[in-house]
Amino acid sequence: MEGIVVIKCGGSTMEQLPDRFFQAIAEIQQKGKQLVIVHGGGPAINSMLERLAIPSQFVDGLRVTCEDTLQVVEQVLCGQINKWLVRRLSEHRAKAWGVSGMDGGMLTAVQTDKPLGLVGEVKKVDAAIPLAILSHGYLPVIAPLAVGTEGSQKYNVNADIAAGAIAAALGAESLIMVTDVPGILAPKEEGTALIPKTNPREIEQMIQEGIITGGMIPKVRAALDALSEGVPQVVICRGTAEDLLRVCQGETAGTAIVSKAAQVHA
Ligand SMILES: Nc1ncnc2c1ncn2[C@@H]1O[C@H](COP(=O)(O)OP(=O)(O)O)[C@@H](O)[C@H]1O
Ligand SMILES: CC(=O)N[C@@H](CCC(=O)OP(=O)(O)O)C(=O)O
């Protein structure tokens, strides 16, 4: 059986993903690669909160989440984005099955000790659920919510962090983080340049220096965690069919640089 590739689709880019991106997913699936999608939806949550006059607040790229916010997060991620993605994939003949991390207790989390409210840190991933979906020939599409260890509480989990934990639990050969930038960017003499290869020490330094900010912070931290938990490759790239096909064909394996994607090495 072919290896597993986890694709994290960021909310930043979701609505701009071209038909070709979804066609590429269908092609890759038809060739036998086992794909798992974990999705975000930060901008759609922000819009809904704004409509409801609930303020949005982030600390290091993570949303401060009260009960009201959590209700909106669940409605938008599980009810809106998850079903939209499944429809979009199905339109292009990919076989997709939408779930949330709460279904079957796939993701178990504890409340973070940071002052973020109902934000969960993933403690356990039950790989049996995505594996069961894959075994029926479907691609799991996972919304990043988690249940507490007692099973009654629910938590908001950043989608990058959920994707990293799921990739590690599934023993994925690759984690592809699809976003609205081609990778980690840093200031250069003229404008910014893509950092093709980096390591944990440099990443922490870039966070301290304010080069990596906002939503890129959980992304790089999740990438490093996934690498240290045995995922061989994490690629941050834009949502183009070309990048996706290249990475899924293993063309970036063992190389430090791909034209539009930055590979993060532990
Ligand atoms: N050093 C950096 N390199 C690239 N992007 C960065 C960097 N620091 C902060 N960012 C921001 O991170 C954003 C991507 O994170 P985010 O908005 O959470 O995307 P997604 O919804 O795809 O997870 C970029 O659009 C950019 O504004
Ligand atoms: C705790 C936390 O920050 N959860 C995120 C979950 C969605 C997400 O991660 O979406 P993106 O991938 O588009 O950023 C949030 O509430 O926005």
Side-chain angles (χ1 to χ4, degrees):
M1 195 177 276
E2 286 255 13
I4 296 176
V5 174
V6 175
I7 302 170
K8 189 267 170 165
C9 285
S12 64
T13 192
M14 202 109 60
E15 284 174 21
Q16 284 79 46
L17 289 173
D19 286 342
R20 272 290 296 137
F21 179 85
F22 293 99
Q23 280 159 11
I25 288 184
E27 280 164 32
I28 295 163
Q29 186 184 39
Q30 279 148 23
K31 285 187 184 140
K33 185 77 81 187
Q34 303 192 87
L35 299 178
V36 174
I37 290 183
V38 180
H39 66 84
I45 299 168
N46 293 345
S47 309
M48 186 60 85
L49 287 172
E50 202 181 321
R51 278 168 61 184
L52 297 169
I54 301 172
S56 289
Q57 194 193 337
F58 290 85
V59 177
D60 284 350
L62 301 178
R63 186 186 303 279
V64 178
T65 306
C66 65
E67 287 283 358
D68 286 349
T69 304
L70 184 60
Q71 214 174 324
V72 173
V73 169
E74 182 179 6
Q75 281 169 9
V76 172
L77 293 183
C78 303
Q80 189 180 317
I81 307 269
N82 189 275
K83 300 307 139 199
W84 177 84
L85 261 177
V86 168
R87 276 200 311 278
R88 197 87 210 263
L89 287 157
S90 306
E91 261 169 42
H92 294 91
R93 300 189 189 285
K95 289 178 72 181
W97 187 324
V99 288
S100 91
M102 295 185 293
D103 295 324
M106 187 197 313
L107 295 181
T108 307
V110 293
Q111 184 165 336
T112 174
D113 54 12
K114 300 187 186 91
L116 294 168
L118 298 169
V119 170
E121 281 177 14
V122 179
K123 285 289 154 200
K124 191 167 153 265
V125 178
D126 187 349
I129 294 148
L131 288 174
I133 296 174
L134 286 167
S135 75
H136 287 278
Y138 286 83
L139 174 177
V141 179
I142 304 169
L145 284 105
V147 284
T149 45
E150 306 299 319
S152 51
Q153 182 62 53
K154 61 191 172 201
Y155 290 110
N156 181 11
V157 178
N158 173 271
D160 299 317
I161 294 169
I166 290 168
L170 288 171
E173 62 183 31
S174 190
L175 167 61
I176 307 174
M177 293 175 145
V178 170
T179 186
D180 63 345
V181 285
I184 303 170
L185 299 165
K188 284 273 138 61
E189 299 84 56
E190 289 175 22
T192 55
L194 190 62
I195 297 180
K197 186 178 170 182
T198 186
N199 60 47
R201 194 185 47 76
E202 283 175 1
I203 281 182
E204 282 310 319
Q205 199 177 332
M206 286 189 277
I207 293 173
Q208 297 310 322
E209 289 172 358
I211 294 171
I212 293 177
T213 59
M216 192 49 72
I217 297 177
K219 213 174 290 306
V220 291
R221 290 207 167 128
L224 291 176
D225 285 348
L227 288 165
S228 70
E229 285 171 38
V231 177
Q233 173 180 266
V234 181
V235 178
I236 299 172
C237 62
R238 283 196 199 274
T240 70
E242 293 68 34
D243 279 343
L244 190 64
L245 288 165
R246 215 178 18 237
V247 177
C248 285
Q249 282 157 6
E251 280 180 32
T252 64
T255 66
I257 302 171
V258 271
S259 59
K260 288 197 200 133
Q263 217 172 334
V264 182
H265 290 262

